[in-house]
Amino acid sequence: MAYQTLLTSLENGIFTITINRPDKLNALNRDVMHDLDEVMNEVYNNAAIRSVIITGAGPKSFVAGADISEFIGLSGEEGKLLAKKGQDIFFKIENAPKPVVACINGFALGGGCELAMSCHFRIAAENAKFGQPEVNLGLIPGYGGTQRLTQLIGKGRSLELLMSAGMIDAKTALQYGLVNYVVPQEELLGKAISILEIINSKAPLAIAGCITTANAVFDESNNGFEVERNEFAKCFGTEDMKEGTSAFLEKRKAVFQGK
Ligand code: COA
């Protein structure tokens, strides 16, 4: 499917989504948010997609935030609707049954940092910069940033960043646990692909179970241990579990079908 603001490609089960507004540092305007919503439907529904990379076009920016020009004149009620829509799209990423990795190729500010945090894990290029500068605009993050930043780096570091509008570099993001790796920009996608190739060789339904259970840690309406028991039980009904355990005992490599 073609998108107005995104480039997509599918190779060996790895679907790369590139936000493509480099002249505006890939800021998330309504069109990009609409396309992100649609492209996630494709991720959910296309069985050929095994895992996903989200990145930004150009060497300078992953996403420099929500498009500030669209904030002018919004009422509180309209602001609430905007936040709800953004949060729902980012929940769709977070709850995707396939791994979604953010490859951060530059600025990840405001909604860009929030987008990266909604992905299952993050890899940064050496020039990446992270921050939630909304207080500069008299705002706070509205697409889940206050929650996920605090989950990922802890309350003290999160509140310092949120309240100061400070930016941290890739090395500090690594030290904070916000990203898993920092690599030279030319190795960014390659690093993600090498990890996703390993994940794609595992049982897809079990991978989905890992995502569901890890997300349950942060969902107060759910008991995470109960979710884990249920997901564990579900695995026993799968062909892949029979294949994985038999292959181990027969000393051969498992071939998973996602069934
Ligand atoms: N929304 C709308 N437009 C944005 C944007 C955003 N969040 N971030 C960057 N842009 C636009 C700029 O307005 C500029 O457009 P123009 O060329 O038509 O004037 C273009 O992208 C390039 O940005 P520029 O500011 O010239 O680049 P820079 O290298 O000097 O600075 C940043 C880079 C990221 C530091 C700066 O663009 C910035 O502070 N952006 C806003 C970050 C932010 O507050 N995000 C949170 C939003 S809630």
Side-chain angles (χ1 to χ4, degrees), residues 23-25 27 60 64-69 71 107 109-110 133-134 137 167:
D23 54 323
K24 296 288 180 189
L25 304 185
K60 190 171 168 183
D67 192 313
I68 297 167
S69 67
F71 287 169
F107 291 114
L109 302 176
E134 286 85 349
L137 306 168
M167 270 191 225

Side-chain angles (χ1 to χ4, degrees), residues 205-255:
L205 298 172
I207 298 297
C210 293
I211 295 169
T212 304
T213 46
N215 284 343
V217 174
F218 304 105
D219 176 0
E220 284 186 0
S221 65
N222 258 319
N223 176 330
F225 286 94
E226 191 181 332
V227 174
E228 185 185 84
R229 280 196 301 281
N230 292 337
E231 291 296 320
F232 182 73
K234 260 201 231 163
C235 293
F236 281 85
T238 66
E239 291 297 317
D240 282 350
M241 187 268 184
K242 287 181 198 120
E243 166 64 8
T245 47
S246 307
F248 176 80
L249 295 173
E250 291 162 17
K251 301 192 188 306
R252 61 175 175 81
K253 198 170 177 331
V255 181

Side-chain angles (χ1 to χ4, degrees), residues 33-212:
M33 293 303 275
H34 172 268
D35 285 351
L36 276 176
D37 198 14
E38 291 290 316
V39 82
M40 287 314 295
N41 292 338
E42 186 177 350
V43 167
Y44 275 63
N45 295 325
N46 182 349
I49 297 175
R50 297 285 307 280
S51 52
V52 180
I53 292 171
I54 299 182
T55 192
K60 190 171 168 183
S61 182
F62 172 70
V63 167
D67 192 313
I68 297 167
S69 67
E70 293 183 348
F71 287 169
I72 307 290
L74 291 190
S75 67
E77 213 38 56
E78 288 165 327
K80 199 178 216 174
L81 287 174
L82 187 73
K84 173 82 171 73
K85 195 145 191 236
Q87 288 182 357
D88 285 349
I89 295 167
F90 288 5
F91 279 135
K92 212 185 240 188
I93 295 172
E94 185 168 59
N95 293 315
K98 306 166 184 185
V100 184
V101 179
C103 281
I104 298 131
N105 54 308
F107 291 114
L109 302 176
C113 191
E114 293 174 296
L115 170 63
M117 292 190 296
S118 72
C119 296
H120 298 130
F121 60 91
R122 287 146 291 284
I123 304 172
E126 286 164 341
N127 69 327
K129 291 245 159 53
F130 299 81
Q132 296 288 161
E134 286 85 349
V135 291
N136 284 336
L137 306 168
L139 277 170
I140 66 165
Y143 296 170
T146 61
Q147 305 304 293
R148 293 194 180 96
L149 189 64
T150 307
Q151 287 163 8
L152 284 164
I153 70 172
K155 187 172 168 185
R157 285 168 169 168
S158 170
L159 273 173
E160 182 183 344
L161 272 181
L162 291 167
M163 296 191 297
S164 67
M167 270 191 225
I168 55 170
D169 61 13
K171 242 173 146 177
T172 309
L174 182 66
Q175 190 202 328
Y176 281 11
L178 187 56
V179 302
N180 290 15
Y181 303 93
V182 177
V183 296
Q185 185 157 83
E186 60 277 12
E187 293 171 22
L188 185 60
L189 293 184
K191 179 71 185 171
I193 289 166
S194 68
I195 299 169
L196 290 175
E197 279 172 348
I198 294 170
I199 296 175
N200 287 356
S201 73
K202 313 297 178 195
L205 298 172
I207 298 297
C210 293
I211 295 169
T212 304

